[in-house]
Amino acid sequence: MKQSIAAVVLCMAGLTAGHAHEMESNRATLVLREGGHLSLTLYLDYAQALHQALAPSRPFEEFMLTHATMPAAQFQQALDGAHRKFEQATRAAVKAGQPLAFRGWQWPAAAQVQQKLRERAMTLVRMQGAHSHEAPLEVRAELAAGEDFHSLKMQFPAEFRDVLVVSYRPAQVWVKPDQPSPAVVF
C-alpha cells in the first residue's frame, strides 16, 4: 500500500499546475409534499465542494492527493467538519425570512468518499492533469415546516458554487383497473 501511495505522490508531483475546473452543474431538487414536508436532494461535484471547504488555497490535485491518502480517522474528522459547514449554510426561508432547518442529512460514508477521491486522483494521474468529471454525488435531507407553504427561498454554501434548483409538488391520482387515468397535467 505504501508503495502505491508513493507512486501516486511521484506521479502527482509531475503534474503541472491545474487549470480552473469547469464543473458540471450542481443541482438541488426540492419536492414539496402535504403538511409542509420538503425533501431536498443535492447532486454535487463533491470533490470540488470538499476542496473548497477543506483546502481552498491549495491546488485541487494537491488536495486530492492529501485527502486520498489521509488516515481514515483523520479523514472522517475533516469530512464531519465539512458536513457541519454545509448543513449550516444550506438554508430555507418562508414568510418574511423565517428560517427553516433541514434535518436527517444523509451523507455518503467516509470510506466511500475517500475511495472516490483515490479513484479520481488516479484518473488525474493517468490523464496527465486533464480535467475529469465524476458522476454527481447524491445527498439528501428533509424539512418539516409544520404547515403548508407555497414559496420559499433557498441559500446554499459558497463551496457548492452555482446550484440549479428544480422544484415541484407531485400530483397523485388513483387509476381504476382497465380504465384510463384522468388527464395527467404537467
Side-chain angles (χ1 to χ4, degrees), residues 18-172:
H19 301 287
H21 183 303
E22 299 240 331
M23 287 192 299
E24 304 272 328
S25 64
N26 289 320
R27 296 184 327 267
T29 300
L30 300 169
V31 180
L32 180 61
R33 304 186 194 295
E34 297 299 321
H37 177 240
L38 186 72
S39 297
L40 167 67
T41 305
L42 295 167
Y43 301 93
L44 302 171
D45 183 339
Y46 198 58
Q48 285 291 342
L50 287 176
H51 173 233
Q52 292 302 308
L54 299 174
S57 62
R58 296 164 87 183
F60 182 70
E61 291 83 1
E62 184 181 332
F63 160 78
M64 293 289 289
L65 179 62
T66 301
H67 287 77
T69 59
M70 192 177 275
Q74 185 180 356
F75 182 75
Q76 178 73 57
Q77 188 175 19
L79 198 60
D80 289 346
H83 290 169
R84 278 191 301 277
K85 186 176 187 178
F86 295 157
E87 289 173 15
Q88 291 170 356
T90 301
R91 300 183 190 126
V94 296
K95 294 183 186 173
Q98 176 188 358
L100 299 171
F102 284 92
R103 305 266 186 244
W105 287 89
Q106 297 173 9
W107 296 100
Q112 175 192 0
V113 173
Q114 194 168 35
Q115 181 60 35
K116 289 286 187 190
L117 292 180
R118 287 182 186 126
E119 291 169 7
R120 193 156 176 186
M122 292 305 293
T123 300
L124 288 171
V125 170
R126 281 195 312 270
M127 295 175 62
Q128 299 289 325
H131 303 298
S132 66
H133 293 282
E134 288 286 315
L137 193 132
E138 191 174 307
V139 177
R140 296 180 178 270
E142 303 290 325
L143 181 147
E147 61 185 64
D148 281 338
F149 54 89
H150 300 306
S151 69
L152 77 149
K153 292 187 178 189
M154 291 295 303
Q155 184 173 351
F156 298 99
E159 294 85 359
F160 291 0
R161 300 192 178 159
D162 291 343
V163 178
L164 174 66
V165 176
V166 178
S167 60
Y168 62 95
R169 185 174 200 148
Q172 301 178 110

